[in-house]
Amino acid sequence: MSLTRDKYHVLKVLLKQLHSDVMTTKVDASEVAQRVRSLQQFFQQQIVPLVNLDTDSNDESRLQSNQTEMSKQLRLLEIDVMFFQGARQASTAKSRLDAIGDRLTTLINYCNAILQ
């Protein structure tokens, strides 16, 4: 399962970098949107094909379940970013960034579960 672990580790690093940037620096909404699109593309191209690759049936079932949840969370993250892009007041933008941070934390936790 080393290829799978490597890919999920890369995804986790990308998620943590985005989370850190969103939570600690002033970020541009279009930059966040671009990075989320890149994450989604990485997930579709590098993670989704991993099911059935080098796993036994128990691992395959667990991976499939986690991938389904991660795919859902990535779609919701995209919606969170759209709301952030539409925010006109600083307080609304802050709450949208907090929601994005929470969504990224959830995705990081899914990666951690797979990597254990």
Side-chain angles (χ1 to χ4, degrees):
M1 195 157 142
S2 64
L3 177 62
T4 300
R5 291 180 61 77
D6 290 346
K7 298 290 184 178
Y8 274 99
H9 179 71
V10 170
L11 179 61
K12 179 181 169 183
V13 168
L14 294 171
L15 289 165
K16 287 177 102 174
Q17 287 173 341
L18 180 56
H19 184 272
S20 175
D21 291 346
V22 165
M23 295 290 103
T24 60
T25 61
K26 183 170 174 63
V27 291
D28 179 69
S30 61
E31 177 189 344
V32 174
Q34 177 57 43
R35 289 178 67 185
V36 168
R37 281 191 296 277
S38 295
L39 278 171
Q40 289 172 320
Q41 185 176 29
F42 179 85
F43 183 80
Q44 289 300 318
Q45 293 176 348
Q46 303 292 321
I47 302 293
V48 171
L50 293 175
V51 172
N52 297 324
L53 197 56
D54 59 348
T55 59
D56 62 32
S57 62
N58 288 337
D59 285 341
E60 182 181 330
S61 175
R62 185 173 61 98
L63 277 177
Q64 184 66 51
S65 175
N66 278 327
Q67 278 188 5
T68 300
E69 288 301 315
M70 291 180 79
S71 179
K72 178 181 83 173
Q73 291 297 321
L74 283 166
R75 287 191 310 272
L76 292 171
L77 177 61
E78 184 178 25
I79 293 167
D80 290 337
V81 170
M82 287 190 318
F83 284 141
F84 173 58
Q85 288 176 307
R88 298 293 172 239
Q89 296 180 345
S91 61
T92 304
K94 171 72 171 110
S95 67
R96 299 301 185 196
L97 278 176
D98 290 343
I100 290 168
D102 291 345
R103 190 84 57 203
L104 290 168
T105 298
T106 300
L107 285 160
I108 291 165
N109 289 337
Y110 279 118
C111 289
N112 287 335
I114 290 168
L115 291 170
Q116 289 181 349

